[in-house]
Amino acid sequence: MTDEKNTGQPESNEEKRRREELERQDPARGTKYYRGLTHAAIRRPVGTLAIASVIVVLGLFFLDRLPVNLLPETEYPLVRITVNYPGVAPEVMEEQVTRVLERNLASTEN
């Protein structure tokens, strides 16, 4: 077997024994392949806790700074008219003023 540096030199018995010992102690250490995020997180719980804490703190810090528009602002068409006609009976006001205004304003758009 050739060494990991790809020099083409065969491994000595001492190097082979050292590599096998390292693989027995820590299987991921002796391989050249990455074992994954889970393996690294389990092997380094303090670092994992620190990274998770930083993510939580940053999330809480930016939580109120994110704009959230579940219901966007809408403007409903609205016409407000006030008519003062003192001394007139309510029936006359309704028939001669209010109904006429409603008919004329009903045809407006928006």
Side-chain angles (χ1 to χ4, degrees), residues 74-80 104-110:
T74 56
E75 293 183 19
Y76 297 105
L78 177 68
V79 176
R80 185 172 295 182
N104 290 330
L105 293 175
S107 62
T108 59
E109 294 181 15
N110 293 331

Side-chain angles (χ1 to χ4, degrees), residues 11 17 36 43 49 71 76 81 93 108:
E11 277 185 329
R17 186 191 61 72
R43 288 195 64 231
L49 183 65
L71 297 173
Y76 297 105
I81 299 174
M93 182 70 151
T108 59

Side-chain angles (χ1 to χ4, degrees), residues 79-93:
V79 176
R80 185 172 295 182
I81 299 174
T82 304
V83 178
N84 289 327
Y85 199 1
V88 172
E91 296 83 17
V92 174
M93 182 70 151

Side-chain angles (χ1 to χ4, degrees), residues 25-97:
Q25 290 174 356
D26 184 11
R29 188 178 221 183
T31 63
K32 61 182 177 180
Y33 299 108
Y34 180 66
R35 287 268 180 140
L37 183 61
T38 308
H39 180 72
I42 292 171
R43 288 195 64 231
R44 297 173 179 87
V46 175
T48 304
L49 183 65
I51 291 172
S53 299
V54 166
I55 291 171
V56 168
V57 168
L58 287 175
L60 292 173
F61 179 73
F62 287 109
L63 183 65
D64 64 337
R65 289 167 177 77
L66 290 174
V68 178
N69 284 336
L70 297 177
L71 297 173
E73 292 184 28
T74 56
E75 293 183 19
Y76 297 105
L78 177 68
V79 176
R80 185 172 295 182
I81 299 174
T82 304
V83 178
N84 289 327
Y85 199 1
V88 172
E91 296 83 17
V92 174
M93 182 70 151
E94 182 181 357
E95 290 296 323
Q96 293 181 357
V97 177

